[in-house]
Amino acid sequence: MTENEPLNESSQSNGKIVAIDNGGRLNGNNHANGKFQKSKALPMPEHIEAPCCRDIHGAKEPPDGGMRAWLVMISAFLCNGVIFGIINTYGVIHKLLTERLQEQGDTDASSKAALVGSLTIGTTFLLSPVAGCLTDKIGLRLTTLIGGILSSGGLLLSSFFTYSTGALYVTYGIMFGLGAALAYTPTLAILGHYFKRYLGKVSGFVTAGSSVFTVILPPGMDYLIKSYDLETTLRIMSVICTFVILCSFVYKPLHPPPAPPKKKPGRSKASMVMRSIINVEIWKRKKYVIWALCIPMALFGYFVPYVHMMKFVQMSYPNNDQNLPVMSIGITSGLGRLIFGAIADLPGVNRIYLQQLSLSCIGVVTILLPLTSSYVLLIVFSLIMGLFDGCFISLLGPIAYEICGPSGATQAIGFLLGLSSLPLTIGPPVAGIIFDKTGSYTIPLILAGIPPIIGSAILFLIRFIRDDPSLEKTNGVMVTANGTDANGGDNDEDVEKHLASKQIQPLMNGHSKAATLNGNGSVEHRPESETHDPAAANGKARLADTESLTDALPSYKENV
């Protein structure tokens, strides 16, 4: 049975209380004259075990289309492209900055100029958790707007300090990096508000924006620098960043922000403040904890080939084009994001398994790079690496929505990127240190291919976690860890409705079994014959004795 397919008549209840999924209330009318009125069974989708389940949005489904949805997709594409297009093409600015510092007699010109770009990418990832928390507090629109202003302003200020690396550390490295962090996280989070069936395809299209802009910007920046100067180029890039500001006005969220934490006895004020800022519920999900720890582990060697590829080609294949392998990775990375984004939306496709496959292939190819015997084979490996790089990147947003749901996806993405900042920053320098000591890239590249394989293998632990403790199904009602249903409402009302009748009729596999609430809060299933008098044959439910249920109420609520 497919999702949202209505039950046939043989599967529907006949005058019984029916428990429905997606956080819905029990579909039962108030009793009259000692009997319950006949209720109409609502459609109930077939339960699919996580992490393959696509039913993650509750009652309010994303539109999966429409003018606003397509504008959001295009805006996110532009934001992603502008932010990472500028970050990925810093090499053009690095070359010119190095030359200017050398003219001033600086002996560490190359490392100082490189630190400007390193600060940018490090700040972007390190402060992504801040972006996630800020998004939940002030909203997607305002966070993206602030990010656009900071990134555009950082580039504009950088144009006045092109001869001072100390000032560029602040304006280009930290200010632009912070703006990029605040704009990038909402770019991934907004997609789940408007898309569900096509979330994989849309995420692939949006993340392909960085590949497109990475191809377009370098020749354009070269032309501007040669025709004008670095200062003018930075000011034009600042104008390009204003697209992020314009796109922020399109980001109209459809899901409400997470509800504030409830006050509980014994909880300190500091704990309440922390819970109001950080969505602690995502860290109660074991699947997310495993995912958020394995991905950073895999990224220790992930970017080593990207950073050292040109030097590796120069040493191993001196008479061939040094830029072609990196260009090959960039081109197939964009294709991979589109292809695997579409594959991820196919029925029965497990997105986490798909991401595991991508990490494993990247690790194996990285190990094989120093063992290649020809330049053509190196290009083939580069094309394969780029293809699976696109697969890995395009699945970050959809998997976050799948594991943590709409209310937790924003901070889930932010904290994952924040945890990834350390390995992304440490990996390439460590490989460089090993190269300086050995004079060869064989050991650095082989060691760089091991972490993605290990991280991919540990992700299999997710398969052994059956039920997420923060979203449990109690008598057909989806109940979250804070005692609310999947729609965000307090579950106490549902508990009262459950206890209004001693018999709860969950609908399973087309037939009903009666369940009686015991005094200790547990539910005892009893045969049909023991729970109905002859009047039940005509579709009438018999009222049960409710006196014992009053005593059972406290323990039942506690279990829920």
Side-chain angles (χ1 to χ4, degrees):
M1 183 172 65
T2 59
E3 276 193 352
N4 300 324
E5 180 181 348
L7 298 170
N8 54 33
E9 292 184 3
S10 62
S11 300
Q12 296 179 359
S13 68
N14 196 9
K16 300 173 182 176
I17 303 175
V18 179
I20 61 173
D21 284 332
N22 298 329
R25 308 289 189 186
L26 284 178
N27 184 25
N29 297 328
N30 294 331
H31 58 84
N33 299 326
K35 295 182 180 180
F36 279 97
Q37 298 176 359
K38 182 178 179 180
S39 62
K40 183 179 179 180
L42 297 180
M44 183 172 67
E46 180 182 0
H47 175 66
I48 307 175
E49 285 193 3
C52 296
C53 183
R54 302 290 192 261
D55 191 13
I56 56 177
H57 291 272
K60 188 173 183 180
E61 296 292 326
D64 268 319
M67 181 61 69
R68 169 75 71 169
W70 303 127
L71 284 176
V72 166
M73 182 186 73
I74 295 173
S75 299
F77 173 87
L78 292 175
C79 288
N80 192 288
V82 168
I83 292 169
F84 280 95
I86 293 175
I87 291 176
N88 294 341
T89 56
Y90 175 74
V92 178
I93 299 176
H94 173 267
K95 180 181 178 182
L96 189 56
L97 280 179
T98 303
E99 294 174 356
R100 289 190 175 188
L101 292 174
Q102 288 174 345
E103 292 174 359
Q104 296 175 357
D106 196 330
T107 57
D108 299 323
S110 179
S111 60
K112 288 183 178 179
L115 184 57
V116 176
S118 299
L119 277 175
T120 303
I121 188 67
T123 304
T124 300
F125 283 92
L126 183 63
L127 297 183
S128 291
V130 177
C133 297
L134 197 61
T135 298
D136 285 345
K137 295 298 292 184
I138 65 176
L140 286 160
R141 274 180 168 177
L142 189 54
T143 303
T144 309
L145 177 64
I146 295 174
I149 294 174
L150 286 175
S151 58
S152 180
L155 292 175
L156 181 61
L157 290 176
S158 298
S159 66
F160 297 101
F161 302 101
T162 54
Y163 286 92
S164 173
T165 53
L168 288 175
Y169 293 155
V170 177
T171 58
Y172 197 103
I174 297 177
M175 188 173 176
F176 173 72
L178 174 59
L182 296 182
Y184 178 60
T185 302
T187 294
L188 297 181
I190 190 63
L191 300 179
H193 289 247
Y194 286 86
F195 297 96
K196 175 186 173 184
R197 291 176 56 195
Y198 309 121
L199 183 58
K201 298 183 182 70
V202 172
S203 297
F205 175 80
V206 168
T207 53
S210 61
S211 300
V212 174
F213 276 73
T214 301
V215 174
I216 294 175
L217 285 181
M221 292 173 63
D222 277 331
Y223 171 79
L224 290 173
I225 290 175
K226 292 176 181 178
S227 301
Y228 303 97
D229 52 24
L230 179 58
E231 289 78 10
T232 303
T233 302
L234 287 172
R235 288 163 191 165
I236 293 176
M237 291 168 60
S238 174
V239 174
I240 294 175
C241 272
T242 58
F243 279 104
V244 177
I245 300 175
L246 296 177
C247 292
S248 67
F249 294 102
V250 182
Y251 289 176
K252 180 182 179 182
L254 299 183
H255 298 300
K262 295 182 179 180
K263 293 184 179 180
K264 291 186 178 180
R267 182 173 291 176
S268 65
K269 185 175 295 185
S271 176
M272 290 297 299
V273 172
M274 183 197 70
R275 288 173 176 269
S276 66
I277 298 174
I278 300 176
N279 188 349
V280 297
E281 299 301 326
I282 64 175
W283 296 103
K284 296 179 181 179
R285 300 174 184 263
K286 295 180 181 178
K287 292 178 181 177
Y288 175 73
V289 173
I290 295 174
W291 186 60
L293 294 179
C294 289
I295 296 302
M297 181 188 302
L299 295 183
F300 268 105
Y302 188 85
F303 274 115
V304 171
Y306 296 82
V307 175
H308 295 277
M309 179 66 78
M310 294 180 66
K311 183 70 174 178
F312 170 70
V313 174
Q314 183 180 356
M315 291 185 58
S316 303
Y317 310 97
N319 298 324
N320 294 278
D321 188 355
Q322 301 175 13
N323 296 321
L324 185 57
V326 178
M327 292 174 59
S328 301
I329 292 175
I331 292 172
T332 53
S333 178
L335 293 175
R337 299 176 194 204
L338 297 174
I339 294 171
F340 285 99
I343 293 176
D345 284 339
L346 296 177
V349 173
N350 188 306
R351 290 167 177 166
I352 292 181
Y353 289 171
L354 202 60
Q355 196 171 63
Q356 286 180 269
L357 174 65
S358 67
L359 289 173
S360 299
C361 291
I362 289 172
V364 171
V365 171
T366 302
I367 293 174
L368 293 177
L369 283 178
L371 306 179
T372 54
S373 58
S374 68
Y375 183 73
V376 175
L377 187 59
L378 176 67
I379 297 300
V380 172
F381 284 158
S382 300
L383 292 171
I384 296 173
M385 180 179 292
L387 193 67
F388 286 101
D389 169 77
C391 174
F392 170 77
I393 297 297
S394 66
L395 293 176
L396 290 177
I399 290 177
Y401 263 89
E402 196 165 276
I403 294 178
C404 298
S407 62
T410 303
Q411 291 199 26
I413 296 171
F415 278 107
L416 178 70
L417 297 178
L419 291 172
S420 301
S421 63
L422 184 62
L424 289 175
T425 305
I426 292 178
V430 170
I433 293 173
I434 297 175
F435 169 76
D436 291 337
K437 292 184 177 181
T438 61
S440 171
Y441 273 113
T442 301
I443 295 179
L445 288 175
I446 290 177
L447 293 178
I450 295 176
I453 297 175
I454 294 177
S456 172
I458 298 178
L459 275 175
F460 276 113
L461 292 175
I462 291 181
R463 180 174 179 82
F464 300 101
I465 300 177
R466 298 183 59 185
D467 296 320
D468 205 313
S470 59
L471 191 63
E472 299 176 352
K473 183 180 290 185
T474 304
N475 290 331
V477 178
M478 302 302 293
V479 183
T480 60
N482 60 1
T484 61
D485 61 28
N487 291 330
D490 197 307
N491 198 54
D492 288 345
E493 181 182 349
D494 284 332
V495 174
E496 298 287 355
K497 288 186 177 181
H498 288 184
L499 297 176
S501 171
K502 191 176 180 180
Q503 297 186 40
I504 305 173
Q505 308 285 348
L507 190 62
M508 301 176 61
N509 300 327
H511 63 277
S512 298
K513 291 182 179 180
T516 302
L517 184 66
N518 295 328
N520 60 0
S522 62
V523 178
E524 176 185 355
H525 294 279
R526 295 182 288 112
E528 187 96 12
S529 58
E530 295 183 15
T531 60
H532 293 284
D533 56 17
N538 299 325
K540 305 287 186 175
R542 178 170 58 86
L543 282 177
D545 185 11
T546 58
E547 293 180 355
S548 61
L549 299 179
T550 304
D551 298 330
L553 177 59
S555 61
Y556 184 79
K557 287 185 177 180
E558 182 178 356
N559 288 345
V560 172

